[in-house]
Amino acid sequence: MARFRCRTCHQEGAWVYDPERYTCSLCDSIDVQFIIPRDEVPEGDPLLNAPKENENLTPSKKAQE
């Protein structure tokens, strides 16, 4: 089960991953955080192929020196 925490209604809980839903399951707010175990994500879901943070950033000149 995936977990969520809503910043609007201040509730936490578990839910079944649904790639079409990005809102709180209790109050329907978009200000919600999700924790989704990798094995819950269906094969072929775009979430599996999402770029990692900083993957496309080029190093600064100072970092190269």
Side-chain angles (χ1 to χ4, degrees):
M1 298 285 302
R3 305 271 312 150
F4 75 92
R5 177 176 46 207
C6 181
R7 293 179 176 173
T8 301
C9 70
H10 306 288
Q11 297 295 313
E12 296 183 22
W15 61 288
V16 176
Y17 174 67
D18 178 0
E20 300 296 318
R21 183 174 184 123
Y22 299 103
T23 60
C24 174
S25 61
L26 301 174
C27 73
D28 213 31
S29 169
I30 61 170
D31 195 10
V32 65
Q33 297 173 316
F34 298 103
I35 300 172
I36 306 167
R38 187 172 181 83
D39 60 343
E40 290 256 341
V41 180
E43 195 64 39
D45 190 290
L47 187 60
L48 291 176
N49 298 324
K52 296 180 179 106
E53 280 188 44
N54 302 326
E55 183 177 66
N56 296 326
L57 297 178
T58 57
S60 67
K61 289 188 177 195
K62 285 190 175 186
Q64 291 175 353
E65 295 174 354

